[in-house]
Amino acid sequence: MKYMSEILFYLSWPLLIVISYQSVKWLISKYEKKEAELIDSNNNSEL
Amino acid sequence: MFESIDLALVNWSRAQFALTAMYHWIFVPLTLGLGFIIAFMETIYVRTGNPEWKRITKFWMKLFGINFAIGVATGIILEFEFGTNWSNYSWFVGDIFGAPLAIEGIMAFFMESTFIAVMFFGWGKVSKRFHLTATWLTAIGANLSAVWILVANAWMQDPVGMRFNPDTARNEMVNFWDVFLSPSAVSKFLHTSTSGFVLAAVFVVGVSAWYLLKKREIAFAKKSMIVASAFGILSSIMLIGSGDSSAKTVATAQPMKLAAMEGLYEGTTNAPLIGMALITDAQDKPLTRESQAEFAMKIEIPSALSFLAYGDFDAFVPGVKDLVLGNEEHGIMSYKEKIKRGYEAQQTLMAYKKAQKEKSPEFAALKAKFNDDTWMDNYFKYFGYGAYYDDDPETLEANAFKMVPPISLTFYSFHIMVALGMWFLLLFMIILFLIYKDKLADNKVILWASVWTIPLVYIASQAGWIVAEVGRQPWVIQDLMTTSRAVSQIDTGSVMITFWLFAITFTSLLIAEVKILTKQIKIGPKKEGGKQ
C-alpha cells in the first residue's frame, strides 16, 4: 500500500501516549508501594 | 529581477511573521505536552480515588489554563497575517494551504475549546469519568489541531499533491492524501508534537524541583516528577526517531537546508556529522565558488551525516557548492540550470496569459505545455528559481549563490537543538534514578539544573523552528515561490508600525504569563478542603 509506512508512523503517536501512560502507572505504583513500606517500617520502629 | 521588490517591505513582513510565530511557539508546546501530563495524573486519580492526585491534577491544570488563554491570542494573529502580509502567497497556494488551516480552525475551536470548558469548570458538576474524558479530549484536541497546521507547513517545505492551473495562476490540490501523508508531514508532526511533550516534561520537572529546593510539597513534587520524567524519556526517544526521519526528508526535499545545517560547502561520501564546532561566518562577504567552510574548531563523527541523511554510511551528501554549481558525477542539477528553467516556466506562463487574452493561435500549444507532465517536471518544477534569472552568466552565478540560506544561524540552531535535546533525556533519566534511590531531595546540583533547564528547553524549541524556517530560505514554498515574491504589496510603514505594536503586545502578554505563573507556583497546590 502506497501510504503504509506513513500511516504506521502516524500511529506511533497514539502508541507513545498509551506506553507513556502505562509506564507512568507502573512507576507511580512502584513508588507509592515503596513509600507505604517506608511509612510502615517507621511506624513499627516507633512502636 | 530584484528591482521591482521593496526589500524593506519584505524584511519587515518577515520580521513581523517571525516575531508572531516565535511568540506563538512559546505558548503552544507547553499546551501540547502538559495536556497529556494532566490527563495521566487525572486518570490515576479516577482509578485510585486518592484525593492527593486530584490536588496534583488541579494545580498543573491551573498552569495549563493560564498558558492556554494567553497563547490563543498569538495564534489568531498568525492566521490573519497570511492574508494581510502574504496575500501573493495566499493566492498562489491558498487552495492547498487553506484546507488544513480550515480543519485546524475547526478542531481548535470546536473540539479543544468545548472540552477545555468542561475541564476547567466541570469539577464537581459532571461525573469523574466525564471530566476525565473532557481532559483527554482537550489534550488530544490540542494536538490534533497542531497536526493540520504542521501538515500545511510541511507542504510548504515539500510541495506535493497539487497541480498548477495556468488560467488562475494558482496551485490546486489534486490529492489530499499525498498532502496529509507525505513523509515530510508525518515527520514534522511527530517531531514537533513530541518536542512539545519534552518541553512540558521539563517544565513540570523544573517547577517540582523548585518545590524540593524550598522543601515544600515534597510528595507532590516527587510524584509530578515521576510522571513528567517517564513521559519525557519516552517522548525524547520518539523525538530522536522523528528527528532522524526529518533529516532524511530534508536530505531529499531540501538538500540545501541539510548542507547549511552542517556547514557543508563541499559534498562528500562518508560525510561526517559535526558534534561540536565553532564556524567562522563566511557570509560576511557574498558566497562565491571560491568560498570555503571555515571552522575555528570542530569535533566530528565519521560517516554519520551520510547515514543520518540516506541511511548509508557511504552515501554522497551534496554541499552548498555542489547544489549551486551542480555535480555531474552525482547527477545534481545546478541552481544556475534551475534558474534558467524556472525563468522559462515563468516566461511560458506570461506568454500563456497574453495568448489567452489576445485569443492567439499559440494558446493551444502553450496550454499543452501545462498539461504535459514531462514539461511540468522539467520546467515548472523550478518555477520559483526564475526570480533569480539574469542574462549575464556572472550575475546569474552570483544570484545562484544568493539562494544559499544563512549558514551560521542554521548551523548553530541545529546543533544547539540537538545538544540540548540530549541533555533533557539525560536529565529525565537522572531524576528518575535519584527518586527511586531516594536521593533527589538532597541533590541540589540536579535540582537547580532542573530549574535552569526550563529556559533551555524554550531555547531548544525555538532553535528547532529556526532550523526549519531560516534553513529553507529563500523559499516560502520550496522551489516554487520565494519569500520576497509572496509578500503583499502594502505600505512598509504600516508593517513597521504593526510590527512594533505586536512586539509590545506579545512582550506584555509574555510578562503577564510569567508573572501569573510564578505567582501561582509560589502559592502552590491547593490544600485539600482549605484555601490556597
Side-chain angles (χ1 to χ4, degrees):
Chain A
M1 190 183 159
K2 188 181 172 188
Y3 302 115
M4 187 53 82
S5 61
E6 282 76 24
I7 291 169
L8 289 175
F9 208 15
Y10 263 129
L11 288 177
S12 65
W13 185 83
L15 195 65
L16 169 73
I17 304 299
V18 172
I19 293 172
S20 294
Y21 172 68
Q22 292 300 332
S23 307
V24 162
K25 196 172 83 171
W26 179 74
L27 286 165
I28 287 291
S29 67
K30 209 173 162 213
Y31 173 78
E32 287 184 334
K33 197 176 162 193
K34 198 178 153 194
E35 288 291 292
E37 283 169 4
L38 202 68
I39 292 165
D40 279 351
S41 66
N42 285 346
N43 289 345
N44 290 339
S45 62
E46 279 172 19
L47 288 172
Chain B
M1 291 301 290
F2 298 105
E3 294 79 14
S4 59
I5 297 168
D6 179 359
L7 281 178
L9 172 66
V10 174
N11 288 336
W12 277 105
S13 299
R14 289 176 69 186
Q16 190 181 93
F17 197 85
L19 176 92
T20 318
M22 289 178 88
Y23 266 103
H24 186 53
W25 193 247
I26 291 174
F27 305 108
V28 174
L30 187 60
T31 304
L32 294 181
L34 198 52
F36 281 115
I37 291 176
I38 292 166
F40 295 158
M41 290 167 167
E42 191 177 342
T43 309
I44 297 172
Y45 161 61
V46 172
R47 287 175 69 97
T48 62
N50 182 349
E52 174 69 4
W53 279 104
K54 184 179 180 184
R55 192 170 157 263
I56 295 172
T57 305
K58 286 181 93 170
F59 174 74
W60 294 112
M61 201 173 274
K62 192 190 295 171
L63 302 191
F64 175 93
I66 296 161
N67 180 69
F68 181 87
I70 296 176
V72 168
T74 52
I76 290 171
I77 292 168
L78 204 59
E79 298 211 4
F80 281 127
E81 283 179 12
F82 288 119
T84 56
N85 294 38
W86 304 99
S87 57
N88 286 340
Y89 162 82
S90 298
W91 173 264
F92 195 54
V93 294
D95 185 72
I96 304 147
F97 194 81
L101 213 63
I103 303 172
E104 190 258 344
I106 292 166
M107 285 278 182
F109 285 104
F110 289 96
M111 189 170 174
E112 201 180 340
S113 305
T114 304
F115 289 106
I116 207 168
V118 180
M119 189 173 109
F120 284 117
F121 306 114
W123 288 106
K125 296 185 182 73
V126 294
S127 71
K128 277 184 187 177
R129 289 197 174 272
F130 187 84
H131 191 277
L132 178 64
T133 307
T135 305
W136 273 100
L137 288 176
T138 302
I140 293 167
N143 281 271
L144 284 186
S145 66
V147 171
W148 299 105
I149 190 72
L150 293 168
V151 164
N153 181 279
W155 181 85
M156 293 161 76
Q157 320 252 357
D158 184 10
V160 287
M162 86 294 190
R163 178 127 200 133
F164 182 69
N165 181 346
D167 293 326
T168 56
R170 299 184 75 181
N171 286 285
E172 293 168 357
M173 191 189 291
V174 290
N175 190 336
F176 171 78
W177 299 110
D178 275 354
V179 176
F180 179 60
L181 294 171
S182 89
S184 298
V186 187
S187 304
K188 183 153 284 281
F189 167 65
L190 292 176
H191 198 57
T192 312
S193 74
T194 48
S195 77
F197 297 169
V198 171
L199 183 140
V202 168
F203 178 81
V204 172
V205 164
V207 172
S208 304
W210 183 82
Y211 284 116
L212 291 182
L213 283 163
K214 297 287 169 191
K215 302 199 184 301
R216 285 174 57 190
E217 302 289 351
I218 307 293
F220 158 88
K222 283 186 179 175
K223 285 178 180 175
S224 297
M225 283 173 125
I226 292 171
V227 175
S229 299
F231 189 42
I233 289 171
L234 292 165
S235 299
S236 295
I237 293 166
M238 190 148 173
L239 189 64
I240 294 167
S242 57
D244 176 68
S245 125
S246 271
K248 287 179 173 56
T249 57
V250 166
T252 311
Q254 300 171 299
M256 182 60 86
K257 184 194 275 184
L258 186 75
M261 281 158 64
E262 280 296 299
L264 188 70
Y265 281 62
E266 312 274 359
T268 177
T269 50
N270 303 99
L273 183 73
I274 293 176
M276 192 186 287
L278 283 174
I279 191 170
T280 310
D281 190 2
Q283 290 188 325
D284 290 343
K285 49 187 184 299
L287 288 175
T288 63
R289 56 174 63 219
E290 278 77 40
S291 298
Q292 294 288 334
E294 293 167 27
F295 293 96
M297 58 75 70
K298 66 176 169 179
I299 300 167
E300 295 177 329
I301 308 164
S303 301
L305 181 61
S306 289
F307 185 76
L308 183 78
Y310 301 103
D312 175 3
F313 288 109
D314 298 325
F316 176 80
V317 181
V320 169
K321 287 201 270 184
D322 298 284
L323 295 163
V324 173
L325 302 171
N327 185 323
E328 277 186 30
E329 189 190 339
H330 294 282
I332 297 165
M333 189 194 290
S334 71
Y335 270 22
K336 291 194 289 183
E337 178 59 26
K338 289 179 180 178
I339 289 171
K340 287 177 190 164
R341 292 185 181 207
Y343 183 68
E344 182 166 336
Q346 290 185 357
Q347 293 300 308
T348 307
L349 179 63
M350 283 167 69
Y352 177 91
K353 291 301 221 183
K354 192 167 175 248
Q356 189 180 38
K357 197 176 171 186
E358 294 171 355
K359 297 190 175 18
S360 152
E362 289 172 9
F363 179 69
L366 289 164
K367 190 176 176 97
K369 282 191 175 182
F370 287 99
N371 290 324
D372 176 6
D373 287 343
T374 311
W375 187 84
M376 290 296 277
D377 278 348
N378 284 314
Y379 290 89
F380 187 78
K381 191 179 172 186
Y382 309 111
F383 186 82
Y385 286 85
Y388 288 82
Y389 182 77
D390 199 286
D391 286 330
D392 173 41
E394 279 185 26
T395 312
L396 191 139
E397 184 171 308
N399 284 349
F401 274 106
K402 283 180 188 164
M403 299 179 77
V404 178
I407 291 178
S408 299
L409 183 57
T410 312
F411 175 88
Y412 281 122
S413 300
F414 174 64
H415 288 88
I416 286 170
M417 174 189 76
V418 173
L420 288 176
M422 295 298 172
W423 160 242
F424 306 144
L425 176 58
L426 182 66
L427 180 70
F428 294 137
M429 292 197 288
I430 292 170
I431 295 276
L432 266 190
F433 175 78
L434 290 176
I435 287 178
Y436 284 92
K437 289 283 171 193
D438 203 20
K439 287 178 179 170
L440 181 65
D442 304 325
N443 196 323
K444 289 199 172 180
V445 174
I446 288 297
L447 292 177
W448 276 118
S450 302
V451 174
W452 285 106
T453 299
I454 295 177
L456 293 182
V457 78
Y458 281 92
I459 291 170
S461 194
Q462 296 286 339
W465 274 112
I466 291 171
V467 175
E469 299 303 304
V470 173
R472 74 165 147 129
Q473 294 304 317
W475 302 113
V476 70
I477 306 155
Q478 185 69 35
D479 297 345
L480 291 180
M481 188 178 225
T482 59
T483 310
S484 56
R485 295 278 158 158
V487 77
S488 303
Q489 293 304 311
I490 49 176
D491 177 41
T492 309
S494 309
V495 185
M496 283 170 67
I497 291 168
T498 47
F499 171 88
W500 289 114
L501 285 175
F502 288 152
I504 294 164
T505 310
F506 296 152
T507 309
S508 306
L509 284 174
L510 181 62
I511 293 168
E513 158 139 345
V514 173
K515 277 196 163 186
I516 300 168
L517 282 179
T518 46
K519 187 181 172 191
Q520 291 302 327
I521 290 165
K522 280 178 186 167
I523 292 169
K526 191 177 179 180
K527 302 279 180 237
E528 213 35 53
K531 287 184 181 175
Q532 285 185 356

